[in-house]
Amino acid sequence: MLFARLLKPLIRTGRITLIDAHGKRWEFGGESGPADERPCTVRLTDPSLHWKLGVNPGLHAGEAYMAGTLVVEEGSIYDLLSIVTRNAGDNHLGPVGKLRRFGVGLQRLWQQANPADRSRRNVAHHYDLSEKLYDLFLDKDRQYSCAYFADPGMSLDQAQAAKKRHIIAKLLLKPGLKVLDIGCGWGGLALEIAKSADVQVKGITLSQEQLAIARRRAREAGLEHRVQFELQDYRAESGTYDRIVSVGMFEHVGVPQYGAFFRKIDELLDPDGVALLHSIGRTDGPGTTNPWLRKYIFPGGYSPALSEVIPHVERSGLMPTDMEFLRLHYAETLWHWRQRVAANRDRLVALYDERFYRMWEFYLAGCECAFRHQGHMVWQLQMAKRADAVPLTRDYIYEAEHRMAVAAE
């Protein structure tokens, strides 16, 4: 079996038992893995998976799990993906994966070409789902990006609040400033910025669903006079802003548009301004998005290597003034989301169906494994036009965070 030939040299630690569509058992691994990693028994019920999983496991494993033709009988889908990704590391699985990496430059030209109309469709695919779905697994402020576990014992809500404080501290807010939030989501960060300082905030999104909720939240908070939300592409923005922030949006820009993105930030940013960009990244150099994730979850999405980003910053006229890497924070965030999805399985199935639940379960499990075992992390890049736009040391960040945390108690 082609899939067995792929797994045999790959699985060195941990244990996977595979029962193929003809009832034959295959054993892989044997040496003990991490203490919290359970052995897995997997049953395939479709004979075509014998070769599909060998040729392109990155696509067909997720599709088979959604369809119920890949059944995890012992352990969980997270345990299975953890064993495979931990053993594989940053390597691409299967012959198609190797070809994909070889042709990575050509693939990005069509996979990540995100003109305005395609960007709107891509955003709608994921973010215009029912708000009830996101209420089932996100924190109370509906932050759909990496939390900041300043203390390992933090709850998800505490860590998301800490993330907002950490970002706001880097913005050096002062009364009277104009702030632009690119990709504002459901408005949580923009509203928190307005609560933290007497500033004017504009948040822009491409999601109709997010826009309606963000505007409703601004009205409910009595902040509609200081926080404005619009359905708008960043490329259509004009004017000048003292502060620009973007969290979890850059992954949807696409490499071919990076130059235009940073030129736009430079165009919009006041000469004394500060910008903060928060994005997922990869440590193993340029690549491509997992084909299943691109097809079912984030069409047009891509997490860049810094080597793909910094040259565009340099050419834009912007100056990096601070950079921070959040390594395992997103793995912990995804763990919390995955636990909440599992706890709300019946409600999620009632909202959509069993296939959708398995899709969401596979998505969160696979992404958590990518952050634990395959070099994915989050970076925060602070930029300005002047070297003296921010203090010489980072003390101001922690001092501001502390003040905000005390005020919130």
Side-chain angles (χ1 to χ4, degrees):
M1 184 173 62
L2 184 58
F3 186 46
R5 292 171 62 184
L6 171 67
L7 287 181
K8 186 174 181 180
L10 176 70
I11 307 302
R12 301 176 300 279
T13 60
R15 182 176 63 80
I16 296 177
T17 300
L18 179 67
I19 305 171
D20 68 24
H22 305 305
K24 182 177 178 179
R25 297 176 70 91
W26 305 75
E27 301 286 344
F28 306 99
E31 296 182 26
S32 297
D36 60 345
E37 186 178 80
R38 295 178 292 174
C40 285
T41 298
V42 180
R43 183 182 296 275
L44 306 180
T45 63
D46 180 356
S48 70
L49 293 175
H50 296 180
W51 64 267
K52 284 182 177 179
L53 292 174
V55 170
N56 195 356
L59 173 63
H60 295 301
E63 289 187 333
Y65 188 71
M66 290 165 59
T69 54
L70 185 156
V71 182
V72 182
E73 295 186 342
E74 178 187 12
S76 67
I77 190 61
Y78 175 80
D79 296 317
L80 174 64
L81 294 176
S82 179
I83 294 172
V84 172
T85 56
R86 181 174 52 77
N87 280 276
D90 295 333
N91 294 324
H92 289 242
L93 298 178
V96 171
K98 294 177 182 177
L99 288 173
R100 183 179 297 112
R101 187 157 195 168
F102 177 77
V104 62
L106 291 175
Q107 289 187 67
R108 283 196 304 231
L109 291 177
W110 62 269
Q111 289 178 0
Q112 299 175 36
N114 287 326
D117 57 341
R118 183 182 293 182
S119 293
R120 285 191 293 270
R121 293 195 301 271
N122 289 343
V123 166
H125 177 92
H126 190 85
Y127 296 100
D128 283 350
L129 296 170
S130 170
E131 65 176 293
K132 294 178 181 178
L133 164 66
Y134 294 103
D135 286 338
L136 292 179
F137 72 96
L138 297 180
D139 64 299
K140 63 183 179 182
D141 194 44
R142 207 180 279 177
Q143 290 291 306
Y144 196 19
S145 58
C146 177
Y148 181 59
F149 290 86
D151 183 328
M154 281 180 163
S155 67
L156 178 62
D157 283 85
Q158 290 171 331
Q160 291 291 14
K163 183 265 298 293
K164 287 179 287 184
R165 290 194 296 267
H166 198 55
I167 290 171
I168 291 170
K170 293 183 180 184
L171 291 176
L172 291 152
L173 296 178
K174 302 173 186 176
L177 297 184
K178 290 176 59 182
V179 183
L180 175 66
D181 182 358
I182 301 176
C184 62
W186 292 280
L189 178 61
L191 294 170
E192 193 64 32
I193 288 172
K195 293 174 185 175
S196 300
D198 184 15
V199 296
Q200 294 290 323
V201 188
K202 180 178 181 180
I204 57 176
T205 178
L206 293 179
S207 167
Q208 294 275 8
E209 184 79 10
Q210 288 184 334
L211 176 68
I213 294 170
R215 286 177 168 174
R216 184 185 72 205
R217 294 181 67 189
R219 290 193 301 271
E220 292 172 350
L223 290 170
E224 66 268 37
H225 62 295
R226 289 204 288 120
V227 184
Q228 172 190 2
F229 294 107
E230 298 293 341
L231 189 73
Q232 184 175 300
D233 191 284
Y234 71 92
R235 287 163 283 205
E237 185 56 48
S238 60
T240 304
Y241 291 89
D242 304 289
R243 301 292 185 265
I244 299 175
V245 64
S246 183
V247 178
M249 174 271 180
F250 190 66
E251 300 90 322
H252 303 281
V253 170
V255 175
Q257 289 75 233
Y258 286 176
F261 178 86
F262 287 106
R263 287 194 299 272
K264 192 65 177 181
I265 298 297
D266 179 64
E267 173 192 322
L268 296 172
L269 190 63
D270 184 84
D272 296 322
V274 176
L276 192 284
L277 182 61
H278 168 120
S279 173
I280 298 171
R282 58 180 71 217
T283 62
D284 62 337
T288 56
T289 302
N290 169 275
W292 181 88
L293 196 70
R294 187 177 68 247
K295 180 177 180 179
Y296 290 97
I297 306 297
F298 293 120
Y302 174 66
S303 303
L306 283 175
S307 59
E308 301 173 285
V309 176
I310 296 301
H312 294 288
V313 177
E314 294 171 346
R315 289 193 288 269
S316 71
L318 296 166
M319 176 184 299
T321 50
D322 187 86
M323 188 139 205
E324 182 174 6
F325 299 95
L326 308 182
R327 287 159 286 112
L328 290 171
H329 291 260
Y330 217 156
E332 295 304 311
T333 304
L334 286 154
W335 182 87
H336 281 277
W337 290 347
R338 189 164 57 84
Q339 301 308 308
R340 291 181 174 208
V341 163
N344 287 289
R345 177 174 187 146
D346 291 345
R347 294 173 65 188
L348 202 154
V349 170
L351 185 62
Y352 287 101
D353 55 26
E354 183 68 29
R355 182 178 182 274
F356 185 95
Y357 173 82
R358 287 197 293 265
M359 178 181 74
W360 218 254
E361 183 186 21
F362 192 91
Y363 151 51
L364 295 178
C367 287
E368 182 180 340
C369 289
F371 282 93
R372 293 200 188 279
H373 308 308
Q374 295 195 300
H376 277 60
M377 48 75 181
V378 168
W379 47 264
Q380 291 183 348
L381 174 62
Q382 185 193 61
M383 298 166 286
K385 295 184 178 181
R386 292 173 34 187
D388 60 353
V390 301
L392 293 180
T393 70
R394 306 183 86 245
D395 295 350
Y396 72 94
I397 299 173
Y398 309 113
E399 291 167 359
E401 282 182 289
H402 178 69
R403 288 195 301 270
M404 286 184 281
V406 170
E409 291 178 354

